[in-house]
Amino acid sequence: MLDLKFVRENYDEIKKKLDKRGEDLADFEKFPSLDEKRRELIRETEALKAKRNEVSQEIARKKRNKEDADALIQEMREVGERIKDLDERLRAVEEELDQLMLSIPNIPHESVPVGESEEDNVEVRRWGDLPEFDFEPKPHWEIAAKLGILDFERAAKVTGSRFVFYKGLGARLERALINFMMDLHSEEHGYKEMWPPFLVNRASMTGTGQLPKFEEDAFKIREDDYFLVPTAEVPVTNYHRDEILDADDLPLAYCAYSANFRSEAGAAGRDTRGLIRQHQFNKVELVRFVKPEDSYDELEKLTGHAERVLQLLGLPYRVVSICTGDLGFAAAKKYDLEVWLPSYHTYREISSCSNFEDFQARRAGIRFRREPNKKPEYVHTLNGSGLAVGRTFAAILENYQQADGSVVIPEALRPYMRGIERIEPK
RNA sequence: GGAGAAGUACCCAAGUAGGCUGAAGGGGCUCCCCUGCUAAGGGAGUAGACGGUGUAAACCGUGCGAGGGUUCGAAUCCCUCCUUCUCCGCCA
């Protein structure tokens, strides 16, 4: 959410910047009149309330002195009616303004490349040599089938499409990846390890920006208004919702594993095979709460932490700076890490690292105090996948596949696999 | 899931015949005095937050878990919800 005063004072400039996202700005046009209407109603209603408070004192005094206060009471009865009426109108206007503000995306940072779609994203750097095969590399679902470590068919029977069973060494590999990533970030990168709830309430989903605009993307438990987490970002960022943090504690860094649930509305027909796009997938998430002046350095740092996972696993990747037209709703700037998938002959997103500046913090009420008695300020929040585990699983199968159908386990992972160096066809 | 009790400021806690209580008292914290260390003692200060008006000083509004209602006026009365605790049931 953007700051009301800031929008009021910089309306035209902000409009220009939002336009670069390719957003429909029809709603935003309503801002100036709504904002003015709101303030007008506040002025009116508060003047009446001040009067009511004053006269109520007067009535109390008269009653104590056994004087007649009927005329005043009669007068205040009318004032009360007017206040009630104005309050109702004010509430309606504030509700509308609130919905408007909650649906306006973040302003892109000046360093974000201007563009319309993912075509215009800018590659920042590449790492690693692409693997060379003296045979035709197979897609990961075919490799997995030979190894007997994934079962999509039975998952479809048990649940539905876009779900999967990991089996045997496949299940162990998935678990090894989670443990490897969590250990790396908590032991070496200084993140505090968290294990969050996988269901969150509406306020949390609104705090990080999934709601109100993207409700159809989420799985919802209807009767108690809970949502299955689409990413651990939601519970972990909201961990500090409505809090004022100590400046000395910043930056705060958390890493959290969670299963992630996404309805993938609108993705019908895309990536229907394999692990790339599932309704449920595992991910290790990095979340940072930082001082505003540090947040862009922090974004580089966080991106580096995610990259480190790929480097240790020996998976070739590139870093892409997401352009204005492709930027997520809440992000001011975003880097994607894209891992090389041989069977696709292309890089595919495996991590997304964003700086939200104070956009989420304002929605979620996450502030900090620089010094005692100073006014609280909003923190900047960042997060990034470190990494999406299912896609990492797929990348390992594809990049480490051998001519005989086996898959070599990257060395860094072997301690987590009880020493297993290779998964052989069944 | 059933039955009870409770939610007041950083913490504990008083406050129902509704009005001079936005909130007694204590602890903690900050400052000052006294005390050559320590212990103890004395005094002062300690809602923050959000919103509105204003160049500003400042003034006004909201605020006693949340949201409604009754009333000229609510921490105090009524309703709904949330959370915590105790007991029972059920489970992992």
Side-chain angles (χ1 to χ4, degrees), chain A residues 144-390:
Chain A
K146 265 235 163 93
L147 302 177
I149 59 175
L150 292 177
D151 192 334
F152 294 96
E153 292 76 15
R154 287 196 179 91
K157 172 181 72 181
V158 170
T159 305
S161 68
R162 295 193 192 272
F163 287 87
V164 66
F165 277 91
Y166 291 77
K167 315 191 282 184
L169 288 179
R172 187 185 292 179
L173 177 57
E174 182 82 357
R175 181 161 58 90
L177 281 167
I178 293 167
N179 286 335
F180 165 68
M181 293 179 196
M182 289 298 288
D183 281 358
L184 175 68
H185 297 309
S186 61
E187 302 281 325
E188 293 185 30
H189 296 158
Y191 289 78
K192 176 159 284 183
E193 182 169 350
M194 297 276 254
W195 196 291
F198 291 2
L199 295 181
V200 294
N201 59 32
R202 182 170 287 274
S204 294
M205 289 288 275
T206 306
T208 29
Q210 282 75 19
L211 295 181
K213 270 192 114 173
F214 309 103
E215 184 151 356
E216 65 167 17
D217 292 337
F219 282 110
K220 181 179 171 187
I221 311 291
R222 201 157 283 130
E223 62 241 42
D224 34 31
D225 212 29
Y226 288 162
F227 296 83
L228 278 72
V229 297
T231 158
E233 160 196 352
V234 179
V236 176
T237 305
N238 280 281
Y239 182 75
H240 288 302
R241 172 149 51 84
D242 296 323
E243 291 184 15
I244 297 177
L245 306 170
D246 221 328
D248 297 339
D249 293 337
L250 300 180
L252 277 168
Y254 299 106
C255 62
Y257 157 77
S258 86
N260 297 250
F261 303 91
R262 300 187 183 176
S263 74
E264 297 299 336
R270 295 182 64 190
D271 302 309
T272 50
R273 310 207 64 182
L275 290 172
I276 298 302
R277 195 180 295 272
Q278 295 278 299
H279 284 314
Q280 175 189 327
F281 62 96
N282 296 309
K283 181 158 59 65
V284 168
E285 187 75 4
L286 307 173
V287 178
R288 301 180 75 86
F289 300 83
V290 310
K291 291 182 188 167
E293 62 270 28
D294 299 334
S295 69
Y296 281 92
D297 290 342
E298 291 275 349
L299 177 62
E300 299 302 321
K301 192 187 287 180
L302 178 140
T303 306
H305 294 151
E307 284 179 66
R308 183 104 177 97
V309 179
L310 289 165
Q311 290 166 7
L312 289 171
L313 294 175
L315 294 169
Y317 68 90
R318 60 174 193 160
V319 181
V320 173
S321 182
I322 303 302
C323 77
T324 53
D326 198 26
L327 206 55
F329 174 76
K333 180 169 186 172
K334 176 161 90 166
Y335 292 120
D336 275 2
L337 306 189
E338 298 181 341
V339 70
W340 177 254
L341 288 180
S343 80
Y344 289 69
H345 297 288
T346 185
Y347 290 96
R348 287 300 304 259
E349 176 186 343
I350 196 167
S351 170
S352 200
C353 301
S354 305
N355 182 3
F356 302 97
E357 298 191 357
D358 62 6
F359 188 85
Q360 293 183 324
R362 183 169 294 108
R363 289 173 159 246
I366 308 169
R367 293 173 292 178
F368 77 105
R369 212 186 290 278
R370 275 186 205 277
E371 285 169 54
N373 303 322
K374 278 274 164 62
K375 258 185 92 70
E377 300 169 47
Y378 288 107
V379 299
H380 281 193
T381 59
L382 301 96
N383 67 53
S385 351
L387 306 165
V389 179

Side-chain angles (χ1 to χ4, degrees), chain A residues 3 16 23 27 60 86 109 129 178 186 230-231 264 292 398 416:
Chain A
D3 179 55
K16 261 182 226 156
E23 280 283 318
D27 281 347
L86 285 170
H109 187 250
D129 299 321
I178 293 167
S186 61
T231 158
E264 297 299 336
E398 295 209 2
Y416 293 91

Side-chain angles (χ1 to χ4, degrees), chain A residues 3-203:
Chain A
D3 179 55
L4 215 57
K5 277 189 187 136
F6 180 69
V7 174
R8 186 181 303 146
E9 285 158 16
N10 303 278
Y11 181 72
D12 291 324
E13 187 188 335
I14 290 171
K15 205 166 143 189
K16 261 182 226 156
K17 287 185 175 170
L18 290 178
D19 193 48
K20 289 184 189 160
R21 280 175 163 272
E23 280 283 318
D24 175 16
L25 294 174
D27 281 347
F28 195 54
E29 309 268 358
K30 296 184 199 152
F31 176 85
S33 64
L34 265 181
D35 178 55
E36 183 44 51
K37 186 78 198 158
R38 167 175 172 272
R39 285 190 294 160
E40 188 187 315
L41 285 169
I42 286 174
R43 283 194 293 268
E44 238 178 299
T45 187
E46 287 193 348
L48 284 177
K49 282 178 181 174
K51 177 166 190 199
R52 180 178 69 185
N53 289 344
E54 199 183 313
V55 176
S56 285
Q57 296 297 314
E58 178 70 19
I59 292 171
R61 200 175 321 124
K62 286 205 169 193
K63 290 221 164 184
R64 245 177 286 128
N65 299 336
K66 309 271 194 258
E67 291 171 37
D68 176 44
D70 287 356
L72 286 179
I73 289 176
Q74 196 56 41
E75 189 188 337
M76 282 306 101
R77 198 168 284 165
E78 257 170 62
V79 171
E81 287 304 314
R82 284 171 61 200
I83 289 175
K84 193 185 272 186
D85 177 55
L86 285 170
D87 268 346
E88 240 159 71
R89 284 162 60 196
L90 178 60
R91 199 182 324 160
V93 168
E94 290 202 315
E95 171 66 21
E96 198 181 337
L97 186 60
D98 221 42
Q99 286 307 310
L100 171 67
M101 294 307 286
L102 285 173
S103 65
I104 294 171
N106 204 353
I107 299 169
H109 187 250
E110 55 190 16
S111 66
V112 172
V114 176
E116 287 178 12
S117 71
E118 56 183 304
E119 311 284 304
D120 304 312
N121 294 340
V122 173
E123 182 176 303
V124 177
R125 59 183 168 270
R126 290 186 186 213
W127 183 93
D129 299 321
L130 302 190
E132 284 172 24
F133 300 97
D134 48 15
F135 58 95
E136 187 59 32
K138 293 189 171 63
H140 64 273
W141 56 88
E142 283 183 23
I143 302 165
K146 265 235 163 93
L147 302 177
I149 59 175
L150 292 177
D151 192 334
F152 294 96
E153 292 76 15
R154 287 196 179 91
K157 172 181 72 181
V158 170
T159 305
S161 68
R162 295 193 192 272
F163 287 87
V164 66
F165 277 91
Y166 291 77
K167 315 191 282 184
L169 288 179
R172 187 185 292 179
L173 177 57
E174 182 82 357
R175 181 161 58 90
L177 281 167
I178 293 167
N179 286 335
F180 165 68
M181 293 179 196
M182 289 298 288
D183 281 358
L184 175 68
H185 297 309
S186 61
E187 302 281 325
E188 293 185 30
H189 296 158
Y191 289 78
K192 176 159 284 183
E193 182 169 350
M194 297 276 254
W195 196 291
F198 291 2
L199 295 181
V200 294
N201 59 32
R202 182 170 287 274

